[in-house]
Amino acid sequence: MQVQRVWSPVTGLESWTVLGDDDGPIQPIEAYLAYLTDIERSPNTIKAYAHDLKDYFTFLGQQGLDWREVRLEDLGEFVAWLRRPPGMREGNIALLPSVERSTTAPRRR
């Protein structure tokens, strides 16, 4: 998926869209971003929404979820996913289990 700048041939207004792997706009995202353009939101605001929605739909795709059937638990997992570095989101970096630091171990000098 990628975020792409677009201009309306009718109004000449700048906006943004999100293209899927088939290079076509992702329809639910397109409809919302078009709405933001219609109510004259700033192109920078629309760009920010486009990037956020790209991340959200990337997550949904990785989890095999349909955007119309998301549960509260899925949103919690999305927030945790967002906190990961980008390489970890894509599965390129392994996440090691964390070990809590012992409070009884002697300090190094």
Side-chain angles (χ1 to χ4, degrees), residues 23-69:
D23 292 330
I26 298 173
Q27 216 41 54
I29 297 175
E30 180 66 19
Y32 184 66
L33 297 177
Y35 164 74
L36 292 177
T37 301
D38 289 345
I39 62 171
E40 299 181 358
R41 293 296 180 249
S42 160
N44 288 333
T45 298
I46 298 168
K47 180 181 178 184
Y49 273 94
H51 281 283
D52 292 341
L53 288 166
K54 177 187 86 74
D55 287 343
Y56 183 60
F57 274 71
T58 297
F59 168 79
L60 294 176
Q62 288 177 356
Q63 301 299 315
L65 298 171
D66 184 298
W67 66 273
R68 293 165 287 213
E69 298 175 5

Side-chain angles (χ1 to χ4, degrees), residues 65-98:
L65 298 171
D66 184 298
W67 66 273
R68 293 165 287 213
E69 298 175 5
V70 172
R71 301 168 302 140
L72 183 59
E73 294 82 10
D74 300 324
L75 292 175
E77 289 179 28
F78 173 61
V79 171
W81 182 85
L82 282 175
R83 291 181 177 153
R84 297 179 190 158
M88 288 178 61
R89 293 181 194 170
E90 299 163 5
N92 297 333
I93 299 173
L95 177 62
L96 299 175
S98 62

